[in-house]
Amino acid sequence: HAWEFARRPIDVMALADFWQQNGRIGTLTELIEFDLVRNLRERRPRTGDPLTDGDARLGAEALAAGVIFCGEPSIKVSDANLGGAGLDGRLCLPASFTRDQFDSLLVRPVFDGASFGRVRFHHRRVREYLAASWVNKRMAAGCSLDELDGLFFDRIGGRRVLRSSRGAVAAWLCAGGEAWNAAIRRWLLEAAPSLNLRYGD
């Protein structure tokens, strides 16, 4: 899937940098993490940046989860008319996020440039990976298996059925050694056994 990371000239530079540092293309997880470190920073660094690297990552994960679980791929920018389609991303972010931090986050290269007052994540796989990272943190904070199950699956005729719009995120959650990782692997084996051949790493 490395071609996904070569759509813009600046993306190709990131791939070349990874190659120069590591002498290989890398796993999908490694490419995404490398891409995120670069693309969650300002294009032109300045003094007085309202976001730390950690805040930018936290905010991006929350927005990715909002986009996936609300089923709305676009995020409204704060100075745009908030009518019509698009997710109000401010409602997805931690309460500590300021308006300046929100505005600063939406102009980071992890998003495409604003169009009609809305932005989207540049890479679908990055969005899915970030949403999975958000779920991972919720599970580490004590989210229950029942909540995890309900987030990704329905029941039809007594059988577990995957919510297809969330399948790519579920695939990322299969990796890991926690009991809940094993549970979601079992559930996906029951409901969508071929999923990990298409998504995740």
Side-chain angles (χ1 to χ4, degrees):
H1 306 293
W3 279 116
E4 293 185 32
F5 296 89
R7 292 193 324 191
R8 302 178 296 192
I10 197 166
D11 294 334
V12 178
M13 291 169 58
L15 268 181
D17 287 347
F18 186 95
W19 179 272
Q20 287 179 331
Q21 289 180 30
N22 300 283
R24 58 191 172 85
I25 291 293
T27 67
L28 185 55
T29 300
E30 288 172 326
L31 285 176
I32 289 175
E33 284 291 344
F34 188 82
D35 188 64
L36 282 170
V37 168
R38 175 184 298 246
N39 287 337
L40 283 173
R41 293 185 174 146
E42 290 189 315
R43 286 182 171 92
R44 295 177 184 84
R46 60 187 167 95
T47 56
D49 182 354
L51 281 174
T52 65
D53 288 349
D55 287 337
R57 176 65 181 252
L58 188 70
E61 288 176 355
L63 290 178
V67 162
I68 296 283
F69 297 122
C70 294
E72 177 50 68
S74 299
I75 302 163
K76 300 173 186 177
V77 298
S78 63
D79 59 355
N81 179 354
L82 292 182
L87 180 73
D88 185 349
R90 293 171 296 180
L91 300 177
C92 303
L93 295 171
S96 60
F97 255 69
T98 66
R99 176 95 172 231
D100 284 347
Q101 288 176 311
F102 176 67
D103 291 342
S104 179
L105 179 59
L106 292 189
V107 298
R108 304 290 160 112
V110 73
F111 298 100
D112 286 327
S115 176
F116 301 105
R118 291 162 182 79
V119 299
R120 290 184 178 212
F121 281 93
H122 181 61
H123 294 300
R124 177 182 56 83
R125 286 186 195 274
V126 169
R127 178 186 69 200
E128 295 158 356
Y129 178 83
L130 285 167
S133 296
W134 181 87
V135 173
N136 198 11
K137 287 179 179 168
R138 305 291 75 75
M139 295 306 295
C143 181
S144 72
L145 279 180
D146 285 342
E147 290 179 88
L148 182 68
D149 187 6
L151 195 56
F152 290 96
F153 300 93
D154 281 318
R155 294 291 191 287
I156 297 177
R159 294 194 56 176
R160 184 178 275 113
V161 177
L162 177 68
R163 297 173 191 251
S164 59
S165 64
R166 301 173 183 185
V169 177
W172 282 108
L173 299 173
C174 288
E178 301 296 328
W180 66 266
N181 296 119
I184 203 162
R185 286 194 294 269
R186 283 194 314 273
W187 300 339
L188 285 176
L189 188 60
E190 171 191 336
S194 66
L195 189 78
N196 282 296
L197 298 178
R198 293 182 289 141
Y199 302 113
D201 191 359

